[in-house]
Amino acid sequence: MSGTSRIFSEGVTVMAVHQSTHRNSGFRLPSFRRDGAVSAPGSVEAGALTARACVFASARVLMGFVFLWAFLDKTFGFGYATASGKGWVDGGSPTEGFLGHVAVGPMESTFHSWAGAAWADWLFMLGLLGIGLALTAGVALRLAAFAGTVMMALMWVAEWPPAKHLSDGSASMSTNPFADYHVVYAVVLIALAAVSAGNVFGLGRLWARLPVVRDHAWLR
């Protein structure tokens, strides 16, 4: 190889190395690892922010607010779904209004018998509170997903979207025979638990480090 060729070759090599180093030092978006954790390039620290992580975390907090608000409104009667003075603390029943007016579906009479029962009120309200707190804090998302899915399934059966008419023959006003907001909420809850959405903007990682949670994965 001639001197000129050698100098040219070495110059190209140095330039290529310099350009490669310069490109690698630029800004790169972090990405999710296959195990569902979030990691940033060049760093082992989990929980880095990404668009995907922020979307799931935002959905988690919003879903938590849905359940927490339902609990607070039914407890104190803020005048939204529960009229002022009709809250649980005022002696009202959180389940009597909804279950007592079920007018369609295979469990109509069963729901009527549950309406206003103390055990039904307590289970329903504790469910709303527990699911809401778990989602907001980003902990016990698997439990929250299970409890929330059961609750949504019961409420779906109470409204019974497949029916075109109510028991008295009037139109049910159902807009879809299957997919209503109860189904959507249940799917979102399951998705949030599946991707460990509590790891970002939440206490999910601290929760997962607790000995009892490490030994019992279903508590995550």
Side-chain angles (χ1 to χ4, degrees):
M1 178 181 294
S2 65
T4 302
S5 300
R6 180 179 179 183
I7 293 173
F8 178 79
S9 177
E10 290 177 350
V12 171
T13 302
V14 171
M15 181 180 296
V17 171
H18 175 73
Q19 289 178 344
S20 177
T21 303
H22 178 73
R23 285 196 298 269
N24 289 339
S25 63
F27 177 79
R28 293 176 60 189
L29 288 175
S31 60
F32 274 84
R33 296 183 307 200
R34 291 186 177 180
D35 60 4
V38 186
S39 60
S43 171
V44 297
E45 181 180 0
L49 298 182
T50 66
R52 177 179 169 185
C54 289
V55 168
F56 277 115
S58 300
R60 190 198 82 236
V61 174
L62 287 173
M63 283 295 297
F65 181 72
V66 168
F67 284 89
L68 280 181
W69 178 258
F71 170 81
L72 293 173
D73 186 50
K74 293 179 183 300
T75 299
F76 301 105
F78 290 146
Y80 288 85
T82 305
S84 180
K86 300 292 185 180
W88 199 20
V89 296
D90 300 310
S93 170
T95 62
E96 185 174 8
F98 178 70
L99 295 181
H101 289 85
V102 173
V104 68
M107 295 184 64
E108 180 179 352
S109 59
T110 301
F111 285 135
H112 288 172
S113 67
W114 291 357
W119 66 267
D121 289 344
W122 277 96
L123 278 180
F124 181 55
M125 295 299 281
L126 288 177
L128 290 177
L129 178 61
I131 295 169
L133 290 176
L135 290 171
T136 304
V139 302
L141 294 186
R142 294 182 182 182
L143 279 176
F146 175 77
T149 299
V150 171
M151 181 182 292
M152 291 301 103
L154 288 172
M155 295 179 73
W156 186 88
V157 173
E159 295 192 7
W160 200 243
K164 294 181 179 180
H165 299 88
L166 303 179
S167 298
D168 61 5
S170 61
S172 68
M173 305 302 292
S174 175
T175 59
N176 190 293
F178 174 73
D180 69 349
Y181 72 96
H182 298 107
V183 176
V184 175
Y185 281 4
V187 171
V188 171
L189 288 172
I190 294 171
L192 293 175
V195 300
S196 300
N199 293 345
V200 175
F201 301 148
L203 304 175
R205 295 194 178 279
L206 293 176
W207 176 261
R209 294 192 188 106
L210 296 177
V212 65
V213 178
R214 287 202 306 265
D215 295 338
H216 302 84
W218 57 272
L219 290 175
R220 293 190 174 185

